Amino acid sequence: MDGKSPELLMHLSMKEAVGGSGGGSGANFSFSDLVLKLDCYSPKMVLSNGVWLGDNPMQYSFPLFLTQLLFISLTTRALAALLRPLRQPVVVAEILAGIVLGPTFMGRIFKTYTNIFFPHRSAYLLKTAANMGLLYFVFIVGLEIDTSILRHTGRKVLSVATAGILLPFFVTISITYTFRKHLLQQHTYNQAFYIYLGIALSITSFPVLARILLEIKLMDTEIGRIALSTAMIIEFLGWVLLAIGIAFTGSNETGGSPPPSHLIILATIVYILFCLFVVRPAVGWFFSRIPEGEVMSDMDSGTILIGVMAAGLIADLIGIHSAFGAFLYGFVIRPTPHATALIGRVEEFIKDLFLPLVFFASGFRIDLLTIHRPSHALVLIFIFLLSASVKIGVIILIAVYFGFPFLEGIALAFLVNPSGFIILGIARDKNLMEADIYAVILLLNIMMTATVTPVVTAAYKRSRKHLGYKRRNLQCSRPDSELRMLACVHKSRNVPSIISLLDLSNPTKKSPIFLYALHLVELSGHASALLIVDNACSSDSLPLTHAHSQHIINAFETYEQHAGGVSIQPITAVSPFSTMHEDVCSLAEDRHAAIIILPFHKLHTVDGGMEVIHPAIRTLNANVLKNARCSVGVLVDRGLSSAAGVNRLHHVRHVVVLFFGGPDDREALAYAWRIAEHPAVALTLLRFLAEGEAAADQDEEYVSEFRVKFVNDESVLYVEKVVSNSEETVEVIRGLMEGERPDLCVVGRRIWVSKLTKGMEEWSECPELGPIGDLLASLDCGAGVAATTSVLVVQQYVGEGNLGDVAAEQAENSPTAAEGVQQYLSNHTASRGAGGAAGMGGWHGAV
């Protein structure tokens, strides 16, 4: 070191110089053996005195470590940005960053690069930091595993998980043993090699899967939940198998006598029991000391995190990997708001800074040009493909056996297929794999992981397309069948209006409503959304930062207890506004919702005005309207919430449907069909007809069916208005509001008769409401007119041609022809005469 310190020490590790215990090839050395076998270090060469005094910062450990972190972070982010269009998980970029900065590329192109920026003396510090990151990361993984899922997953997940790890594990060991003479140059530690390779190719990488599910927005779908639950079980079984394997075979790093397997197994069992029956209740008691509603202090969270180091140390002393000790420590801690808050405190730092070092080291330690034995590579490719094929095949078969569509089985099999990068790294650190074997297996793992996102996305979307789920709108559903709704809530002020609309929708035992109450929370700095999405009814499962979700849940639960025919499942979803619409749309599709109810981005104020909740909500609503695969309703609350909780039989509500024609108006009428059944609702269907133009056949037929249904109902009124332009349309609507001031107006979003709304779009303040919806939401003629009239703007889902087929089928099977219906209605209108005329203060018409 140029004589910089008289205390410079030199250490030559003879064991590493010969490539590990037991002799063998010099090519068989680990990550720490990339450049030299000579370790030079000085206890005082930590911080430099600066370049002005002639010091080279790269000769000092701390500046060198910061430089390495900078290189790794910048390279990883650059590669992640390049791979983002291909929707590749970040772990692929992290491993590729190691290959780029390692001896394969930069180290070979620039001869002095490795000696300057990644010298051998820094390898131990980098490895120590990576292992510390691994320790805390597997602790977070264990902490995030919901043990209640493992208890209640049922035969589906247990069967997939058990077969998904055990079968490929034994197949890999069997095939590797068969080809052992073609793979291994050293036969003294083959048993441990088989164990590690079998687990590495059969385990599912839970962290990699969690990242993939979040990035492709499948976390809150059924297949996402099953894949995540399966990965939890497989990861747990994998670490257990690894602990058992090490106990029987040892790591064989030191040579000599075989390990005392009985002592290792006994100590491991004692440690597991200690964690279950001592650590678990002790941590529970520790959390219970914190007053309810208060945030855990830094001292308390630090105490829990110190336990991670203690758990890793104990596991290492036992003779199993320290990562298993940290994983078990996190696994036994009960999922509480304090535990979730603890994840939020350390997760970002670990995942963004230290965890990339783990995967970076996996790529950095290989030199692709050392793969000089084609026969070995071909055997490894065969073993890898056979193991992956067995794992994918058995999961597909089990999924199909349990009733999954074939394409969803493929998606599930590929989701749980990402293998154990961490296990591979541990095996390489322990000198259990030769350099070329490790390089080939790692490359194959990267390729397999890179195929997951495109294959799963294509298979799942194609499966959804051919699912046969046709009732994505109300018009195609029977009025007396169960209605599945997804209602979004941003604030507690949205809840009363949703409950009022739900009550107006007339839920009964004959025609029940199943409501998914989705509380949307903006993601701000917390990356552990997977535990927050789809949590229902349990305050213990919600983090403290989102405890206000419980107030919303309580409001819906109270209504459910006092209303008949309603089932409500509260859900909390946390995501950024930029991708929140994907959560809404995928959840609605996964739950087979017929309609999504979105709150308007403005809320009613006491003075009759409207105030903006959050400007991003408007963009969210527009994105949902654009991408939803079911019908969508936007609810503008201008007083509807004030009637929440009013006795449904002693307060008559006036609802008006404005019908111009087209799919959206028919969907609005379909929703009003349910409302008209309510015993305390007076409903008016106001139909606009263009002067000199005939109405569409589908519109005429559907309106006629509605009129026949309520022909003898005095609370339902039908009115026709013939207009010739948009000015007359606005005049009629103003007259309606001034005379009647209904509680709710239901209208379609897209008006197909453009003659009646021509020019209205040009001055629309909120185009996402459509011309009529925007007019109703902003109409205020002074003196509070229309200030209390809420608006429901409905858009019908008409994708994939389902609507035309169903409508044609209904028309073909209808016992009453359109002409006969018209004649019957004409006769009935004449008989009702003036009775209908009085219903709207001078408006003429009747059902």
Side-chain angles (χ1 to χ4, degrees), residues 443-721:
L443 282 179
L444 293 172
N445 259 326
I446 295 174
M447 294 178 186
M448 177 59 71
T449 303
T451 63
V452 171
T453 298
V455 170
V456 170
T457 302
Y460 186 75
K461 286 185 176 180
R462 191 175 180 85
S463 174
R464 295 286 97 183
K465 181 178 179 180
H466 294 88
L467 189 60
Y469 167 41
K470 295 185 177 181
R471 293 185 176 180
R472 292 192 179 102
N473 57 52
L474 300 175
Q475 186 184 348
C476 294
S477 303
R478 292 170 50 192
D480 59 347
S481 63
E482 180 190 62
L483 173 61
R484 287 177 172 258
M485 301 172 60
L486 175 68
C488 298
V489 176
H490 298 282
K491 294 182 177 293
S492 56
R493 291 176 62 188
N494 297 135
V495 176
S497 60
I498 296 295
I499 291 179
S500 294
L501 180 65
L502 185 62
D503 189 65
L504 280 175
S505 304
N506 194 38
T508 61
K509 291 183 178 180
K510 180 181 178 182
S511 180
I513 295 179
F514 198 105
L515 176 72
Y516 298 98
L518 179 62
H519 181 205
L520 298 172
V521 180
E522 182 182 10
L523 180 65
S524 54
H526 189 283
S528 185
L530 65 97
L531 288 182
I532 299 171
V533 177
D534 202 19
N535 284 321
C537 305
S538 175
S539 61
D540 291 339
S541 61
L542 293 172
L544 292 178
T545 52
H546 305 115
H548 60 279
S549 294
Q550 191 61 33
H551 299 294
I552 295 174
I553 292 173
N554 291 338
F556 281 111
E557 287 181 338
T558 301
Y559 173 75
E560 181 182 14
Q561 293 170 2
H562 294 85
V566 177
S567 298
I568 300 178
Q569 180 185 354
I571 302 173
T572 300
V574 181
S575 59
F577 272 113
S578 59
T579 60
M580 195 174 285
H581 66 280
E582 297 179 13
D583 291 330
V584 175
C585 295
S586 61
L587 185 63
E589 184 175 355
D590 188 59
R591 298 297 197 277
H592 291 189
I595 187 170
I596 300 171
I597 301 298
L598 301 171
F600 193 46
H601 69 278
K602 296 180 181 180
L603 278 177
H604 184 63
T605 58
V606 292
D607 59 357
M610 301 288 285
E611 63 176 358
V612 177
I613 309 175
H614 195 299
I617 296 178
R618 182 177 180 182
T619 304
L620 165 67
N621 291 348
N623 288 332
V624 173
L625 287 164
K626 179 180 179 181
N627 296 284
R629 294 168 63 84
C630 66
S631 294
V632 181
V634 180
L635 179 61
V636 182
D637 178 22
R638 305 192 69 179
L640 189 65
S641 58
S642 62
V646 175
N647 192 302
R648 70 197 315 258
L649 297 178
H650 294 84
H651 181 76
V652 177
R653 314 289 290 278
H654 187 195
V655 179
V656 173
V657 183
L658 305 183
F659 191 93
F660 291 82
D664 289 358
D665 278 17
R666 293 196 296 272
E667 190 73 356
L669 183 56
Y671 196 95
W673 197 309
R674 297 187 65 98
I675 296 177
E677 300 275 5
H678 197 291
V681 167
L683 185 137
T684 299
L685 173 58
L686 176 57
R687 185 180 186 185
F688 289 82
L689 297 174
E691 186 176 12
E693 295 183 7
D697 292 341
Q698 284 185 321
D699 294 337
E700 192 68 42
E701 183 177 338
Y702 198 63
V703 171
S704 297
E705 291 178 9
F706 177 83
R707 294 175 65 188
V708 168
K709 171 65 177 178
F710 299 99
V711 68
N712 294 316
D713 193 337
E714 297 291 337
S715 64
V716 178
L717 185 64
Y718 173 75
V719 179
E720 288 185 357
K721 273 295 180 180

Side-chain angles (χ1 to χ4, degrees), residues 93-368:
E94 291 167 351
I95 297 176
L96 291 180
I99 296 176
V100 170
L101 295 178
T104 301
F105 288 99
M106 296 293 292
R108 193 167 299 276
I109 296 174
F110 303 101
K111 301 301 181 182
T112 60
Y113 158 82
T114 301
N115 292 332
I116 296 175
F117 296 108
F118 290 93
H120 177 60
R121 68 179 184 276
S122 70
Y124 296 114
L125 180 59
L126 201 60
K127 287 174 59 180
T128 301
N131 277 282
M132 183 62 72
L134 174 62
L135 207 65
Y136 278 93
F137 178 72
V138 296
F139 163 71
I140 293 173
V141 170
L143 199 60
E144 287 180 332
I145 294 179
D146 189 351
T147 54
S148 63
I149 294 178
L150 302 183
R151 292 194 302 266
H152 300 96
T153 46
R155 291 193 305 155
K156 263 187 222 177
V157 174
L158 288 175
S159 300
V160 171
T162 305
I165 186 172
L166 293 182
L167 193 58
F169 174 72
F170 289 115
V171 168
T172 301
I173 289 179
S174 302
I175 298 300
T176 305
Y177 182 80
T178 303
F179 290 95
R180 64 190 183 282
K181 294 182 180 180
H182 301 277
L183 289 177
L184 304 175
Q185 293 185 0
Q186 302 182 44
H187 302 287
T188 58
Y189 50 86
N190 289 355
Q191 290 180 340
F193 169 76
Y194 298 144
I195 297 293
Y196 275 92
L197 184 62
I199 294 175
L201 297 188
S202 58
I203 198 173
T204 297
S205 179
F206 177 83
V208 175
L209 174 61
R211 287 182 176 185
I212 292 175
L213 290 175
L214 286 173
E215 290 170 9
I216 63 178
K217 311 303 293 183
L218 289 181
M219 183 67 73
D220 56 344
T221 63
E222 181 184 9
I223 192 172
R225 291 190 301 274
I226 291 177
L228 201 64
S229 302
T230 302
M232 289 179 184
I233 298 175
I234 289 179
E235 183 104 19
F236 179 78
L237 293 177
W239 284 105
V240 171
L241 285 175
L242 183 62
I244 295 174
I246 293 176
F248 277 105
T249 65
S251 63
N252 288 293
E253 291 181 282
T254 59
S257 60
S261 58
H262 62 287
L263 295 179
I264 295 177
I265 293 175
L266 180 62
T268 302
I269 294 175
V270 171
Y271 174 65
I272 294 174
L273 295 176
F274 177 79
C275 288
L276 288 174
F277 297 106
V278 178
V279 175
R280 184 182 180 95
V283 174
W285 170 83
F286 187 82
F287 283 152
S288 67
R289 296 168 46 254
I290 305 172
E292 185 177 357
E294 289 191 11
V295 179
M296 185 166 48
S297 66
D298 294 338
M299 180 68 72
D300 291 337
S301 60
T303 303
I304 299 297
L305 294 178
I306 289 174
V308 180
M309 294 182 284
L313 177 61
I314 293 173
D316 196 75
L317 293 175
I318 291 174
I320 56 179
H321 197 276
S322 57
F324 177 77
F327 173 81
L328 184 62
Y329 175 65
F331 180 78
V332 298
I333 296 178
R334 298 179 186 275
T336 64
H338 298 300
T340 307
L342 183 65
I343 294 175
R345 291 192 176 192
V346 300
E347 188 176 37
E348 291 297 321
F349 181 74
I350 295 298
K351 284 188 176 181
D352 290 343
L353 188 60
F354 283 104
L355 182 62
L357 296 180
V358 178
F359 297 105
F360 168 84
S362 298
F364 187 88
R365 76 182 75 209
I366 69 172
D367 185 354
L368 297 182

Side-chain angles (χ1 to χ4, degrees), residues 768-791:
E768 69 272 15
L769 298 179
I772 303 301
D774 179 78
L775 173 66
L776 292 170
S778 59
L779 190 61
D780 193 342
C781 303
V785 174
T788 59
T789 298
S790 300
V791 183

